[in-house]
mmCIF file of all heavy atoms in Angstrom:
data_model
loop_
_atom_site.group_PDB
_atom_site.id
_atom_site.type_symbol
_atom_site.label_atom_id
_atom_site.label_comp_id
_atom_site.label_asym_id
_atom_site.label_seq_id
_atom_site.Cartn_x
_atom_site.Cartn_y
_atom_site.Cartn_z
ATOM 1 N N THR A 1 1.368 5.886 6.563
ATOM 2 C CA THR A 1 0.144 6.759 6.779
ATOM 3 C C THR A 1 -1.065 5.936 6.538
ATOM 4 O O THR A 1 -1.227 5.296 5.353
ATOM 5 C CB THR A 1 0.267 7.971 5.816
ATOM 6 O OG1 THR A 1 1.601 8.692 5.928
ATOM 7 C CG2 THR A 1 -0.893 8.992 6.060
ATOM 8 N N LEU A 2 -1.969 6.061 7.527
ATOM 9 C CA LEU A 2 -3.323 5.441 7.240
ATOM 10 C C LEU A 2 -3.952 6.240 6.031
ATOM 11 O O LEU A 2 -3.909 7.310 5.992
ATOM 12 C CB LEU A 2 -4.151 5.440 8.511
ATOM 13 C CG LEU A 2 -3.645 4.519 9.722
ATOM 14 C CD1 LEU A 2 -4.579 4.666 10.854
ATOM 15 C CD2 LEU A 2 -3.625 3.003 9.169
ATOM 16 N N HIS A 3 -4.766 5.423 5.319
ATOM 17 C CA HIS A 3 -5.542 5.957 4.283
ATOM 18 C C HIS A 3 -4.664 6.726 3.202
ATOM 19 O O HIS A 3 -5.113 7.731 2.762
ATOM 20 C CB HIS A 3 -6.637 6.943 4.811
ATOM 21 C CG HIS A 3 -7.451 6.364 5.924
ATOM 22 N ND1 HIS A 3 -8.301 5.294 5.663
ATOM 23 C CD2 HIS A 3 -7.470 6.546 7.161
ATOM 24 C CE1 HIS A 3 -8.855 4.949 6.951
ATOM 25 N NE2 HIS A 3 -8.385 5.659 7.796
ATOM 26 N N ALA A 4 -3.580 6.073 2.855
ATOM 27 C CA ALA A 4 -2.790 6.562 1.740
ATOM 28 C C ALA A 4 -2.570 5.373 0.846
ATOM 29 O O ALA A 4 -2.205 4.231 1.245
ATOM 30 C CB ALA A 4 -1.449 7.040 2.334
ATOM 31 N N GLY A 5 -2.834 5.606 -0.397
ATOM 32 C CA GLY A 5 -2.727 4.569 -1.358
ATOM 33 C C GLY A 5 -3.304 4.940 -2.737
ATOM 34 O O GLY A 5 -3.685 6.108 -2.980
ATOM 35 N N GLY A 6 -3.202 4.030 -3.688
ATOM 36 C CA GLY A 6 -3.613 4.268 -5.084
ATOM 37 C C GLY A 6 -4.934 3.811 -5.334
ATOM 38 O O GLY A 6 -5.368 3.670 -6.515
ATOM 39 N N LYS A 7 -5.832 3.599 -4.284
ATOM 40 C CA LYS A 7 -7.048 2.901 -4.584
ATOM 41 C C LYS A 7 -8.376 3.928 -4.372
ATOM 42 O O LYS A 7 -9.524 3.528 -4.511
ATOM 43 C CB LYS A 7 -7.373 1.825 -3.495
ATOM 44 C CG LYS A 7 -6.104 0.934 -3.293
ATOM 45 C CD LYS A 7 -5.813 0.064 -4.500
ATOM 46 C CE LYS A 7 -4.455 -0.703 -4.265
ATOM 47 N NZ LYS A 7 -4.592 -1.717 -3.166
ATOM 48 N N PHE A 8 -8.076 5.111 -4.308
ATOM 49 C CA PHE A 8 -9.073 6.079 -4.032
ATOM 50 C C PHE A 8 -9.611 6.745 -5.243
ATOM 51 O O PHE A 8 -10.562 7.625 -5.287
ATOM 52 C CB PHE A 8 -8.655 7.113 -3.045
ATOM 53 C CG PHE A 8 -8.285 6.550 -1.768
ATOM 54 C CD1 PHE A 8 -6.933 6.484 -1.364
ATOM 55 C CD2 PHE A 8 -9.253 6.148 -0.783
ATOM 56 C CE1 PHE A 8 -6.579 5.931 -0.175
ATOM 57 C CE2 PHE A 8 -8.877 5.677 0.354
ATOM 58 C CZ PHE A 8 -7.646 5.439 0.689
ATOM 59 N N ASP A 9 -9.062 6.572 -6.463
ATOM 60 C CA ASP A 9 -9.665 7.061 -7.761
ATOM 61 C C ASP A 9 -9.551 5.992 -8.692
ATOM 62 O O ASP A 9 -8.948 4.880 -8.507
ATOM 63 C CB ASP A 9 -9.023 8.353 -8.117
ATOM 64 C CG ASP A 9 -7.560 8.266 -8.360
ATOM 65 O OD1 ASP A 9 -7.100 7.259 -8.862
ATOM 66 O OD2 ASP A 9 -6.784 9.229 -7.966
ATOM 67 N N ASP A 10 -9.853 6.248 -9.951
ATOM 68 C CA ASP A 10 -9.942 5.192 -11.069
ATOM 69 C C ASP A 10 -8.612 5.155 -11.891
ATOM 70 O O ASP A 10 -8.539 4.425 -12.834
ATOM 71 C CB ASP A 10 -11.088 5.293 -11.944
ATOM 72 C CG ASP A 10 -12.447 5.173 -11.164
ATOM 73 O OD1 ASP A 10 -12.383 4.526 -10.182
ATOM 74 O OD2 ASP A 10 -13.436 5.697 -11.619
ATOM 75 N N SER A 11 -7.699 6.113 -11.588
ATOM 76 C CA SER A 11 -6.605 6.216 -12.460
ATOM 77 C C SER A 11 -5.607 5.042 -12.434
ATOM 78 O O SER A 11 -5.008 4.732 -13.382
ATOM 79 C CB SER A 11 -5.771 7.543 -12.132
ATOM 80 O OG SER A 11 -5.404 7.483 -10.808
ATOM 81 N N ALA A 12 -5.466 4.391 -11.270
ATOM 82 C CA ALA A 12 -4.484 3.349 -11.164
ATOM 83 C C ALA A 12 -5.089 2.057 -10.986
ATOM 84 O O ALA A 12 -4.581 1.029 -11.482
ATOM 85 C CB ALA A 12 -3.607 3.560 -9.973
ATOM 86 N N TYR A 13 -6.348 1.938 -10.323
ATOM 87 C CA TYR A 13 -7.090 0.610 -10.194
ATOM 88 C C TYR A 13 -8.553 0.873 -10.529
ATOM 89 O O TYR A 13 -9.195 1.627 -9.896
ATOM 90 C CB TYR A 13 -6.800 0.199 -8.802
ATOM 91 C CG TYR A 13 -5.429 -0.092 -8.334
ATOM 92 C CD1 TYR A 13 -4.670 0.786 -7.721
ATOM 93 C CD2 TYR A 13 -4.925 -1.406 -8.658
ATOM 94 C CE1 TYR A 13 -3.324 0.592 -7.329
ATOM 95 C CE2 TYR A 13 -3.587 -1.707 -8.300
ATOM 96 C CZ TYR A 13 -2.825 -0.765 -7.667
ATOM 97 O OH TYR A 13 -1.588 -0.957 -7.269
ATOM 98 N N LYS A 14 -8.982 0.045 -11.509
ATOM 99 C CA LYS A 14 -10.471 0.042 -11.810
ATOM 100 C C LYS A 14 -11.288 -0.703 -10.760
ATOM 101 O O LYS A 14 -12.186 -0.095 -10.184
ATOM 102 C CB LYS A 14 -10.732 -0.643 -13.087
ATOM 103 C CG LYS A 14 -12.148 -0.557 -13.480
ATOM 104 C CD LYS A 14 -12.403 -1.338 -14.883
ATOM 105 C CE LYS A 14 -13.798 -1.314 -15.169
ATOM 106 N NZ LYS A 14 -14.060 -2.105 -16.375
ATOM 107 N N THR A 15 -10.728 -1.808 -10.282
ATOM 108 C CA THR A 15 -11.290 -2.543 -9.099
ATOM 109 C C THR A 15 -10.184 -3.000 -8.275
ATOM 110 O O THR A 15 -9.090 -3.179 -8.652
ATOM 111 C CB THR A 15 -12.117 -3.771 -9.566
ATOM 112 O OG1 THR A 15 -11.238 -4.698 -10.184
ATOM 113 C CG2 THR A 15 -13.236 -3.438 -10.467
ATOM 114 N N SER A 16 -10.568 -3.083 -6.963
ATOM 115 C CA SER A 16 -9.592 -3.363 -5.991
ATOM 116 C C SER A 16 -10.098 -4.022 -4.660
ATOM 117 O O SER A 16 -11.256 -3.590 -4.342
ATOM 118 C CB SER A 16 -8.785 -1.994 -5.662
ATOM 119 O OG SER A 16 -8.056 -2.149 -4.295
ATOM 120 N N GLY A 17 -9.283 -4.900 -4.086
ATOM 121 C CA GLY A 17 -9.762 -5.410 -2.846
ATOM 122 C C GLY A 17 -9.388 -4.532 -1.582
ATOM 123 O O GLY A 17 -9.909 -4.506 -0.592
ATOM 124 N N GLY A 18 -8.137 -3.877 -1.741
ATOM 125 C CA GLY A 18 -7.646 -2.996 -0.750
ATOM 126 C C GLY A 18 -8.156 -1.518 -0.995
ATOM 127 O O GLY A 18 -7.659 -0.806 -1.801
ATOM 128 N N LEU A 19 -9.209 -1.094 -0.340
ATOM 129 C CA LEU A 19 -9.961 0.155 -0.639
ATOM 130 C C LEU A 19 -9.789 1.172 0.381
ATOM 131 O O LEU A 19 -9.948 2.407 0.222
ATOM 132 C CB LEU A 19 -11.444 -0.153 -0.918
ATOM 133 C CG LEU A 19 -11.708 -0.962 -2.195
ATOM 134 C CD1 LEU A 19 -13.090 -1.463 -2.198
ATOM 135 C CD2 LEU A 19 -11.368 -0.022 -3.348
ATOM 136 N N HIS A 20 -9.374 0.770 1.641
ATOM 137 C CA HIS A 20 -9.304 1.729 2.718
ATOM 138 C C HIS A 20 -7.920 2.425 2.780
ATOM 139 O O HIS A 20 -7.777 3.447 3.587
ATOM 140 C CB HIS A 20 -9.637 1.005 4.035
ATOM 141 C CG HIS A 20 -10.988 0.444 4.104
ATOM 142 N ND1 HIS A 20 -12.082 1.210 4.097
ATOM 143 C CD2 HIS A 20 -11.414 -0.890 4.000
ATOM 144 C CE1 HIS A 20 -13.224 0.356 4.158
ATOM 145 N NE2 HIS A 20 -12.823 -0.839 4.052
ATOM 146 N N GLY A 21 -6.934 1.867 2.059
ATOM 147 C CA GLY A 21 -5.625 2.497 2.062
ATOM 148 C C GLY A 21 -4.956 2.336 3.379
ATOM 149 O O GLY A 21 -4.104 3.091 3.769
ATOM 150 N N VAL A 22 -5.350 1.137 4.139
ATOM 151 C CA VAL A 22 -4.700 0.973 5.475
ATOM 152 C C VAL A 22 -3.836 -0.310 5.550
ATOM 153 O O VAL A 22 -3.183 -0.589 6.472
ATOM 154 C CB VAL A 22 -5.792 1.112 6.547
ATOM 155 C CG1 VAL A 22 -6.429 2.309 6.600
ATOM 156 C CG2 VAL A 22 -6.740 -0.194 6.507
ATOM 157 N N GLY A 23 -4.047 -1.127 4.479
ATOM 158 C CA GLY A 23 -3.436 -2.512 4.557
ATOM 159 C C GLY A 23 -2.044 -2.511 4.816
ATOM 160 O O GLY A 23 -1.565 -3.090 5.910
ATOM 161 N N SER A 24 -1.232 -1.965 4.065
ATOM 162 C CA SER A 24 0.274 -1.994 4.182
ATOM 163 C C SER A 24 0.744 -1.449 5.425
ATOM 164 O O SER A 24 1.578 -1.848 6.219
ATOM 165 C CB SER A 24 1.025 -1.375 3.014
ATOM 166 O OG SER A 24 0.600 -2.016 1.685
ATOM 167 N N SER A 25 0.160 -0.168 5.742
ATOM 168 C CA SER A 25 0.572 0.483 6.938
ATOM 169 C C SER A 25 0.195 -0.135 8.274
ATOM 170 O O SER A 25 0.910 -0.162 9.247
ATOM 171 C CB SER A 25 0.080 1.976 6.964
ATOM 172 O OG SER A 25 -1.440 1.855 6.770
ATOM 173 N N VAL A 26 -0.987 -0.872 8.193
ATOM 174 C CA VAL A 26 -1.321 -1.671 9.353
ATOM 175 C C VAL A 26 -0.317 -2.706 9.582
ATOM 176 O O VAL A 26 0.056 -3.059 10.770
ATOM 177 C CB VAL A 26 -2.852 -2.156 9.145
ATOM 178 C CG1 VAL A 26 -3.036 -3.121 10.211
ATOM 179 C CG2 VAL A 26 -3.763 -1.001 9.400
ATOM 180 N N VAL A 27 -0.009 -3.512 8.559
ATOM 181 C CA VAL A 27 0.919 -4.522 8.677
ATOM 182 C C VAL A 27 2.164 -4.082 9.304
ATOM 183 O O VAL A 27 2.833 -4.699 10.020
ATOM 184 C CB VAL A 27 1.157 -5.339 7.359
ATOM 185 C CG1 VAL A 27 2.139 -6.340 7.481
ATOM 186 C CG2 VAL A 27 -0.206 -5.999 6.867
ATOM 187 N N ASN A 28 2.566 -2.993 8.710
ATOM 188 C CA ASN A 28 3.849 -2.279 9.118
ATOM 189 C C ASN A 28 3.781 -1.980 10.658
ATOM 190 O O ASN A 28 4.703 -2.350 11.423
ATOM 191 C CB ASN A 28 4.132 -0.982 8.341
ATOM 192 C CG ASN A 28 5.447 -0.419 8.697
ATOM 193 O OD1 ASN A 28 6.327 -1.098 9.178
ATOM 194 N ND2 ASN A 28 5.580 0.865 8.319
ATOM 195 N N ALA A 29 2.729 -1.499 11.171
ATOM 196 C CA ALA A 29 2.539 -1.044 12.529
ATOM 197 C C ALA A 29 2.527 -2.217 13.471
ATOM 198 O O ALA A 29 3.066 -2.185 14.598
ATOM 199 C CB ALA A 29 1.189 -0.274 12.778
ATOM 200 N N LEU A 30 2.147 -3.384 12.975
ATOM 201 C CA LEU A 30 2.043 -4.644 13.844
ATOM 202 C C LEU A 30 3.101 -5.503 13.597
ATOM 203 O O LEU A 30 2.932 -6.734 14.152
ATOM 204 C CB LEU A 30 0.593 -5.232 13.481
ATOM 205 C CG LEU A 30 -0.562 -4.417 13.757
ATOM 206 C CD1 LEU A 30 -1.848 -5.172 13.435
ATOM 207 C CD2 LEU A 30 -0.687 -3.795 15.104
ATOM 208 N N SER A 31 4.168 -5.208 13.092
ATOM 209 C CA SER A 31 5.339 -6.014 12.868
ATOM 210 C C SER A 31 6.505 -5.538 13.603
ATOM 211 O O SER A 31 6.735 -4.371 13.871
ATOM 212 C CB SER A 31 5.620 -6.126 11.353
ATOM 213 O OG SER A 31 4.578 -6.593 10.561
ATOM 214 N N VAL A 32 7.300 -6.492 14.139
ATOM 215 C CA VAL A 32 8.590 -6.174 14.736
ATOM 216 C C VAL A 32 9.483 -5.376 13.624
ATOM 217 O O VAL A 32 10.012 -4.332 14.056
ATOM 218 C CB VAL A 32 9.408 -7.382 15.236
ATOM 219 C CG1 VAL A 32 10.740 -7.022 15.666
ATOM 220 C CG2 VAL A 32 8.539 -8.087 16.204
ATOM 221 N N TYR A 33 9.588 -5.753 12.495
ATOM 222 C CA TYR A 33 10.137 -5.131 11.474
ATOM 223 C C TYR A 33 9.456 -5.441 10.124
ATOM 224 O O TYR A 33 8.802 -6.335 9.949
ATOM 225 C CB TYR A 33 11.630 -5.374 11.399
ATOM 226 C CG TYR A 33 11.942 -6.897 10.797
ATOM 227 C CD1 TYR A 33 11.836 -7.345 9.494
ATOM 228 C CD2 TYR A 33 12.243 -7.959 11.754
ATOM 229 C CE1 TYR A 33 12.099 -8.519 9.011
ATOM 230 C CE2 TYR A 33 12.521 -9.211 11.289
ATOM 231 C CZ TYR A 33 12.439 -9.447 9.935
ATOM 232 O OH TYR A 33 12.611 -10.696 9.545
ATOM 233 N N MET A 34 9.634 -4.471 9.159
ATOM 234 C CA MET A 34 9.159 -4.687 7.787
ATOM 235 C C MET A 34 10.313 -4.156 6.862
ATOM 236 O O MET A 34 10.702 -3.049 7.078
ATOM 237 C CB MET A 34 7.875 -3.992 7.534
ATOM 238 C CG MET A 34 7.504 -4.107 6.042
ATOM 239 S SD MET A 34 5.985 -3.156 5.537
ATOM 240 C CE MET A 34 4.711 -4.328 6.182
ATOM 241 N N ASP A 35 10.701 -5.089 6.074
ATOM 242 C CA ASP A 35 11.778 -4.726 5.081
ATOM 243 C C ASP A 35 11.153 -4.786 3.588
ATOM 244 O O ASP A 35 10.454 -5.698 3.243
ATOM 245 C CB ASP A 35 12.924 -5.759 5.075
ATOM 246 C CG ASP A 35 14.096 -5.314 4.432
ATOM 247 O OD1 ASP A 35 14.939 -4.675 5.134
ATOM 248 O OD2 ASP A 35 14.253 -5.460 3.167
ATOM 249 N N VAL A 36 11.363 -3.688 2.919
ATOM 250 C CA VAL A 36 10.610 -3.466 1.618
ATOM 251 C C VAL A 36 11.804 -3.181 0.526
ATOM 252 O O VAL A 36 12.641 -2.509 0.658
ATOM 253 C CB VAL A 36 9.746 -2.220 1.654
ATOM 254 C CG1 VAL A 36 9.013 -2.008 0.312
ATOM 255 C CG2 VAL A 36 8.792 -2.278 2.764
ATOM 256 N N GLN A 37 11.622 -3.949 -0.602
ATOM 257 C CA GLN A 37 12.426 -3.780 -1.756
ATOM 258 C C GLN A 37 11.405 -3.554 -2.946
ATOM 259 O O GLN A 37 10.613 -4.415 -3.242
ATOM 260 C CB GLN A 37 13.311 -4.995 -2.031
ATOM 261 C CG GLN A 37 14.382 -5.108 -0.971
ATOM 262 C CD GLN A 37 15.382 -6.165 -1.295
ATOM 263 O OE1 GLN A 37 15.643 -6.483 -2.506
ATOM 264 N NE2 GLN A 37 16.050 -6.719 -0.340
ATOM 265 N N ILE A 38 11.584 -2.434 -3.631
ATOM 266 C CA ILE A 38 10.795 -2.059 -4.701
ATOM 267 C C ILE A 38 11.652 -1.915 -5.997
ATOM 268 O O ILE A 38 12.501 -1.180 -6.057
ATOM 269 C CB ILE A 38 10.031 -0.698 -4.485
ATOM 270 C CG1 ILE A 38 9.191 -0.828 -3.222
ATOM 271 C CG2 ILE A 38 9.136 -0.277 -5.675
ATOM 272 C CD1 ILE A 38 8.651 0.543 -2.627
ATOM 273 N N SER A 39 11.261 -2.808 -7.045
ATOM 274 C CA SER A 39 11.924 -2.730 -8.246
ATOM 275 C C SER A 39 11.202 -1.931 -9.260
ATOM 276 O O SER A 39 10.026 -2.324 -9.620
ATOM 277 C CB SER A 39 12.087 -4.162 -8.777
ATOM 278 O OG SER A 39 12.955 -4.936 -7.866
ATOM 279 N N ARG A 40 11.731 -0.814 -9.560
ATOM 280 C CA ARG A 40 11.005 0.198 -10.429
ATOM 281 C C ARG A 40 11.936 1.200 -11.038
ATOM 282 O O ARG A 40 12.927 1.527 -10.453
ATOM 283 C CB ARG A 40 9.795 0.886 -9.585
ATOM 284 C CG ARG A 40 8.833 1.706 -10.449
ATOM 285 C CD ARG A 40 7.955 2.455 -9.469
ATOM 286 N NE ARG A 40 7.079 3.442 -10.101
ATOM 287 C CZ ARG A 40 5.923 3.287 -10.576
ATOM 288 N NH1 ARG A 40 5.233 2.101 -10.215
ATOM 289 N NH2 ARG A 40 5.235 4.154 -11.239
ATOM 290 N N ASP A 41 11.613 1.647 -12.234
ATOM 291 C CA ASP A 41 12.465 2.717 -12.883
ATOM 292 C C ASP A 41 13.847 2.265 -13.011
ATOM 293 O O ASP A 41 14.722 3.132 -12.831
ATOM 294 C CB ASP A 41 12.268 4.005 -12.100
ATOM 295 C CG ASP A 41 10.846 4.476 -11.916
ATOM 296 O OD1 ASP A 41 10.055 4.087 -12.841
ATOM 297 O OD2 ASP A 41 10.416 5.153 -10.969
ATOM 298 N N GLY A 42 14.087 0.986 -13.132
ATOM 299 C CA GLY A 42 15.546 0.555 -13.418
ATOM 300 C C GLY A 42 16.358 0.337 -12.281
ATOM 301 O O GLY A 42 17.557 0.058 -12.295
ATOM 302 N N ALA A 43 15.780 0.385 -10.958
ATOM 303 C CA ALA A 43 16.532 0.318 -9.754
ATOM 304 C C ALA A 43 15.940 -0.516 -8.716
ATOM 305 O O ALA A 43 14.515 -0.465 -8.746
ATOM 306 C CB ALA A 43 16.898 1.674 -9.338
#
C-alpha cells in the first residue's frame, strides 16, 4: 500500500528519511520478486 508506514507521527520515529510511506511498496512494485524475512517477537 502506498503511503503506509510508521513515519507519519512521532511515536515510532522522531526523524526519518522515508517520509512519504512509499519506499518499500515502490521497490516491491518495480521488482520481479521481493522476498521478506522479518525477525520479531521470537520468530
Side-chain angles (χ1 to χ4, degrees):
T1 309
L2 292 177
H3 309 295
K7 317 292 177 64
F8 298 104
D9 59 43
D10 298 334
S11 61
Y13 297 94
K14 182 181 178 183
T15 61
S16 162
L19 292 164
H20 299 289
V22 301
S24 298
S25 55
V26 165
V27 177
N28 187 18
L30 302 180
S31 299
V32 175
Y33 68 80
M34 175 184 277
D35 197 90
V36 182
Q37 293 185 27
I38 301 169
S39 298
R40 186 182 173 105
D41 303 330

